[in-house]
Amino acid sequence: MLTVRVAVWPLLSLLLQPSGSALAQSPSGHAYEPPEVRFPADAGMINVKTQFGAKGDGLSDDTAAIRAAIEGPGVQVRVLYFPKGTYIVSDTLNWLRADKTWRSALAFQGENERGTVIRLKDNAPGYQDPGAPKAVIRPGSIEPYNKNDGSGNNGFSNYIFDLTVDTGSGNPGAIGIDYLGNNICGLENVTIRTSDPQKRGVAGLAMTRHYVGPCYYRRLTITGFDTGIVTAETEYSHTFEHVALSDQRVVGIENSSNVLSIRDLKSQNSVPALRNKTPLGLVTLIDSNLSGRAGASAAIENEGGIFLRHVSVSGYAVSLTDHGGATLTGAIAEFASPPAKPGAESRATSLDLAVEEAPEAANPEPSAWLSVVATGADSTGRSDSTQAIQLALDSDAPVVYFPVGLYEITDTIHIRKGTKRLLGPSATLVPRSAKFADAQNPAPVLRFESQTADLAIEGLSFGNWMMKFYPGAVMIEDASPRALTLRHTHMEGDYHAAYATGSGGTGRVFIEDVVGGPWFFRGPQKIWARQLDMESRGEKAVVDGAQLWVMGVKTERPGTVIRAVNGAALEVLGGLLYPLETMPPDQAAFVIDNARASLTYAVEAFGPGKNYAIQIKESTSGKEAPPVTVCTARGYGCFLSLYGVVQ
């Protein structure tokens, strides 16, 4: 898969209600502060009402206006802003340019999940045949694998945030969102529903075209349809968190051969909540609640690999039917199939590390934000912006904001005061000086040092695909005792490290929908990563005495994925390793040296010799255990439903 070339401005995280607003319940029942999107005038937002004439009045057909907004010129990320209203459409919103070629780097950004609704017209032509399903929204890939349907692996920065998709009434052939994205992508704060009295519709969220993922889906509510979520193909994996499903007619989630990592699924159904229907599929499901209704038979049906933990089941005759012969009832404390260690007399157990959520502090009004351009930064990248950015950060503004553009950095930027958010609306920091050129003497581009304030870095990119050699750059050094969150961020090029724990770096770290690597974590830090895509060559992460919890890992190219040493604790809950090339025979996917670990993952390999010959290498006090070389076959690759290392 190609590396990411652009970054989107994910307003869902950046533009929350002003501080002081109360927490509310989302449609999925999860407590969070619902976004009321506000943005600075220079954000580059494309308003579908004021700029393209969409009405959003619940009566007018807005299909042509929204399509015109999608088709607009430019290679930068296009963020289409939908103010509150109901936008009636009568045909698919394909993500196409004016010349009808597929595009990526597009975001649909609603003003509010409840208040912004894209609704299919009732009894719409073309949506009547479930055997020929048709989507309301369909993102795609540039340079597509299939020019007709937009499938491919270049769907970078395809996002849908803070809105509702309603497939209307009398549309039994409708799909809410036929989604495609890659590497840095996903849905957040999205409701997909059918208004049909019989809950008809093919699927709420479909991901069945070639090469969808890896992406992160958070706070997703799907009501009705035959299937709530349907996935297919063997790559590239999906990570879900805080998902609510109800009133499906056939199944809640159906997976055919893909790799799913799911946390906090709440399902209320009379049909199975989850069906893993092929031997190639691997599903991880944790911390979930599956509630059956009258006549409900099995909550989970499994024909492939599965790892379950802390799954509460009620109202179903059985909790799980497994192709290995197991049938479970009641709550599932922990279960893995096939057995974790082939031939072992007892199953391994997971570390079951405590899970934490990233801090979600509310933003002040945009009038309190400070733009780095206002302090002299050059968004064209033609002149050095280091001092201007430092001036903005030293102002103690709670939110420091980067307008769209490139920013040349020639020296380390220090985040040492009270700034709580560093936001990049399609902005890229480009290290460009001798300081970042020496691999033997690496230097940080950003150094987080604050002793008083947690920090979130969101939507900001590091490195540019046209200027990609920074062999001495450490993109982020963490030298603070405060929490650091990296969200919807990508790091590109040839650089020393994406992240390194620095002196004094003891705070919690949260990583969500991030592309980059390698990573150097040191104790006593605790790190929680959701959908971490590490495509660097060579060793991709080192956990030295720290604690790392990962839900949804994706890699590319050879190299050890994670090396855990010196008392580290490592838990990997699902994901896809993709070595891509012929592997050295002594290359291990994971190295566990005087550390504890539990691992669930799959390997995609497209030929002999392109899997890891050694899956796990263990050692304690200098004494090596026999390497793990056997795992459940998955084509030329394989998967492990669970492997535990306790030292």
Side-chain angles (χ1 to χ4, degrees):
M1 190 183 302
L2 298 177
T3 53
V4 180
R5 297 184 180 181
V6 287
V8 73
W9 179 20
L11 290 172
L12 67 109
S13 300
L14 317 188
L15 303 166
L16 299 177
Q17 289 178 327
S19 56
S21 58
L23 286 175
Q25 287 295 116
S26 76
S28 57
H30 307 290
Y32 77 109
E33 193 169 350
E36 292 289 341
V37 176
R38 302 180 176 93
F39 53 91
D42 63 348
M45 186 69 54
I46 299 166
N47 190 310
V48 298
K49 280 189 175 182
T50 61
Q51 294 175 252
F52 286 90
K55 302 298 184 184
D57 58 10
L59 299 171
S60 305
D61 190 331
D62 286 321
T63 308
I66 298 172
R67 282 178 171 173
I70 294 170
E71 292 173 356
V75 296
Q76 286 282 3
V77 175
R78 290 180 67 81
V79 182
L80 306 188
Y81 177 68
F82 292 78
K84 289 180 184 178
T86 297
Y87 299 82
I88 300 296
V89 297
S90 54
D91 203 353
T92 302
L93 299 175
N94 287 309
W95 289 14
L96 296 168
R97 299 182 181 90
D99 63 2
K100 305 309 176 185
T101 59
W102 289 88
R103 71 178 311 148
S104 61
L106 187 72
F108 276 18
Q109 172 64 64
E111 183 177 356
N112 178 269
E113 181 180 355
R114 299 176 187 85
T116 299
V117 180
I118 298 174
R119 190 182 194 278
L120 180 63
K121 184 179 294 185
D122 292 346
N123 305 304
Y127 290 89
Q128 302 308 305
D129 183 3
K134 188 173 180 179
V136 178
I137 299 174
R138 187 162 65 157
S141 166
I142 60 170
E143 304 169 10
Y145 166 82
N146 184 318
K147 294 182 179 180
N148 294 319
D149 69 10
S151 59
N153 60 2
N154 294 318
F156 308 132
S157 298
N158 284 348
Y159 285 106
I160 301 175
F161 296 136
D162 305 301
L163 54 75
T164 291
V165 177
D166 190 328
T167 60
S169 178
N171 296 307
I175 293 172
I177 301 173
D178 182 355
Y179 182 72
L180 187 144
N182 301 110
N183 289 20
I184 177 168
C185 47
L187 280 63
E188 203 156 335
N189 299 340
V190 170
T191 293
I192 307 172
R193 70 191 184 203
T194 172
S195 290
D196 189 86
Q198 299 175 48
K199 305 298 183 185
R200 292 178 300 170
V202 173
L205 177 63
M207 294 177 287
T208 59
R209 287 177 285 169
H210 287 294
Y211 312 127
V212 187
C215 298
Y216 180 47
Y217 314 86
R218 183 170 77 145
R219 298 189 189 126
L220 181 63
T221 301
I222 301 177
T223 303
F225 303 98
D226 291 345
T227 304
I229 300 171
V230 56
T231 60
E233 305 298 328
T234 55
E235 63 274 323
Y236 286 101
S237 74
H238 306 278
T239 301
F240 297 88
E241 194 168 26
H242 309 314
V243 177
L245 302 176
S246 62
D247 298 325
Q248 277 73 57
R249 293 154 50 100
V250 177
V251 64
I253 299 174
E254 181 175 275
N255 178 54
S256 297
S257 303
N258 216 305
V259 179
L260 311 187
S261 304
I262 308 167
R263 176 175 175 263
D264 188 22
L265 168 65
K266 289 180 170 61
S267 173
Q268 297 182 0
N269 271 301
S270 57
V271 298
L274 170 64
R275 178 178 292 147
N276 189 29
K277 63 180 293 185
T278 69
L280 302 182
L282 175 63
V283 176
T284 299
L285 178 68
I286 65 170
D287 303 339
S288 295
N289 189 309
L290 314 180
S291 177
R293 294 171 179 164
S297 179
I300 302 169
E301 299 173 354
N302 178 52
E303 295 295 330
I306 200 163
F307 174 68
L308 307 171
R309 187 175 72 201
H310 303 319
V311 179
S312 173
V313 183
S314 61
Y316 284 94
V318 296
S319 301
L320 169 75
T321 59
D322 181 67
H323 65 100
T327 299
L328 304 182
T329 59
I332 302 172
E334 183 164 307
F335 176 81
S337 176
K341 292 185 178 182
E345 293 182 1
S346 61
R347 296 179 183 269
T349 57
S350 70
L351 291 190
D352 197 6
L353 298 177
V355 183
E356 292 193 21
E357 306 274 349
E360 292 281 6
N363 277 324
E365 291 283 355
S367 59
W369 300 13
L370 178 61
S371 167
V372 297
V373 171
T375 56
D378 177 7
S379 63
T380 70
R382 296 190 184 97
S383 60
D384 185 6
S385 292
T386 307
Q387 291 185 2
I389 296 170
Q390 189 64 66
L391 183 63
L393 290 168
D394 288 344
S395 72
D396 218 22
V399 179
V400 172
Y401 161 73
F402 288 75
V404 176
L406 299 176
Y407 297 86
E408 182 183 83
I409 308 298
T410 60
D411 202 353
T412 298
I413 295 169
H414 302 267
I415 307 167
R416 51 198 172 202
K417 288 199 171 184
T419 295
K420 296 179 176 63
R421 288 179 181 266
L422 193 59
L423 309 180
S426 195
T428 301
L429 302 186
V430 182
R432 196 184 298 164
S433 71
K435 181 160 189 170
F436 305 117
D438 186 357
Q440 302 305 312
N441 295 286
V445 178
L446 291 184
R447 192 169 195 268
F448 178 40
E449 304 170 355
S450 176
Q451 302 294 303
T452 59
D454 296 341
L455 176 69
I457 300 175
E458 304 181 53
L460 188 63
S461 300
F462 296 77
N464 179 266
W465 70 277
M466 296 179 65
M467 301 164 281
K468 59 184 181 180
F469 297 105
Y470 329 102
V474 176
M475 298 306 190
I476 298 170
E477 182 180 357
D478 187 355
S480 172
R482 306 292 301 195
L484 173 65
T485 300
L486 307 178
R487 182 177 289 137
H488 308 309
T489 298
H490 86 262
M491 303 169 190
E492 187 168 8
D494 180 8
Y495 52 87
H496 184 79
Y499 170 99
T501 307
S503 176
T506 58
R508 298 170 300 157
V509 180
F510 301 91
I511 301 167
E512 299 177 359
D513 183 33
V514 174
V515 180
W519 303 76
F520 297 97
F521 303 111
R522 296 181 178 86
Q525 279 193 320
K526 293 183 178 180
I527 305 98
W528 291 268
R530 283 109 165 147
Q531 193 45 63
L532 175 60
D533 186 0
M534 302 183 288
E535 298 195 4
S536 56
R537 186 177 294 276
E539 191 169 63
K540 303 176 195 319
V542 177
V543 186
D544 186 352
Q547 176 178 299
L548 173 62
W549 178 94
V550 184
M551 184 178 70
V553 66
K554 161 67 168 57
T555 70
E556 202 159 308
R557 301 182 177 88
T560 292
V561 177
I562 302 174
R563 179 164 55 93
V565 299
N566 297 329
L570 169 65
E571 185 161 39
V572 175
L573 293 161
L576 184 72
L577 315 185
Y578 186 38
L580 194 61
E581 303 172 18
T582 300
M583 299 292 292
D586 59 347
Q587 182 76 74
F590 294 90
V591 175
I592 313 300
D593 182 6
N594 290 302
R596 298 180 299 134
S598 59
L599 309 168
T600 299
Y601 66 91
V603 184
E604 184 71 71
F606 289 107
K610 294 187 177 181
N611 193 356
Y612 290 91
I614 301 173
Q615 296 295 318
I616 303 165
K617 184 181 290 186
E618 306 174 38
S619 59
T620 305
S621 301
K623 183 178 180 180
E624 291 192 5
V628 178
T629 59
V630 178
C631 51
T632 302
R634 188 176 187 264
Y636 287 106
C638 65
F639 66 79
L640 284 171
S641 57
L642 175 65
Y643 195 90
V645 179
V646 180
Q647 297 184 354

